[in-house]
Amino acid sequence: MAHRRRLALLLVAALFAPACGDDLTGPTGNQAVLAVTVDPNPVPVSQSPLTGVVSVGYRIVITETNGGSGELVFVSSQIYDPETGQQVALNYFDAADLIVFVGTKKVEPQGTVLVPVTLSYVLPDFRTAAQLTVNVQMNDDQGGLVNQSLLVKIE
């Protein structure tokens, strides 16, 4: 019974506690905010007339916009068949891959990291149009985990 009273008191106190607001500063600086885009958008295709294999090439552009910084945990992209929803291609760069293929995993304040990607896929009936999703995760220097995702058309 005493536990229920404490819980009720805690819930009432939480209800009347001040809200956090939109302050994006941490104890020693700004928290990172990411903007993720794909260039070009929509993503153009190149299809082999012999095999029907579709190839796409694009750059994932990751920009920090709040004056914070951090290290990328992963950058991934997936291609889906728009008619069935099935995943037909996947690319995943973890932090170690980013150092090898991009040259860095660090996103500086107001900085940009470009991640080039090339993927191939096959759809039934030689279709080419698809959906691309991009996911980025970063640990900012304030100890926060920043996630950003994007949906892009492939035409």
Side-chain angles (χ1 to χ4, degrees):
M1 189 69 134
H3 291 293
R4 287 188 182 182
R5 286 186 190 154
R6 285 185 206 150
L7 180 59
L9 182 60
L10 181 62
L11 290 174
V12 170
L15 183 63
F16 291 106
C20 293
D22 291 333
D23 184 17
L24 292 176
T25 57
T28 59
N30 290 345
Q31 294 176 336
V33 175
L34 296 180
V36 177
T37 59
V38 169
D39 180 44
N41 185 355
V43 177
V45 301
S46 174
Q47 186 174 37
S48 167
L50 183 61
T51 63
V53 173
V54 179
S55 296
V56 294
Y58 53 92
R59 294 184 315 162
I60 301 170
V61 182
I62 305 164
T63 304
E64 197 291 318
T65 61
N66 193 49
S69 61
E71 292 187 352
L72 293 166
V73 177
F74 70 82
V75 176
S76 69
S77 53
Q78 304 80 31
I79 297 176
Y80 294 92
D81 180 339
E83 290 187 14
T84 65
Q86 286 187 310
Q87 181 178 304
V88 295
L90 167 69
N91 186 63
Y92 183 91
F93 290 118
D94 65 11
D97 294 331
L98 289 166
I99 292 171
V100 172
F101 293 106
V102 179
T104 187
K105 64 179 179 179
K106 181 76 173 172
V107 180
E108 299 294 340
Q110 304 292 321
T112 298
V113 174
L114 302 175
V115 181
V117 180
T118 303
L119 288 172
S120 297
Y121 60 94
V122 177
L123 295 176
D125 302 326
F126 290 96
R127 291 184 284 114
T128 60
Q131 297 289 326
L132 169 69
T133 61
V134 174
N135 306 291
V136 176
Q137 187 175 82
M138 182 176 86
N139 285 321
D140 76 5
D141 291 342
Q142 303 304 314
L145 189 62
V146 181
N147 291 289
Q148 192 62 264
S149 297
L150 180 67
L151 176 65
V152 177
K153 289 183 180 181
I154 297 176
E155 300 178 335

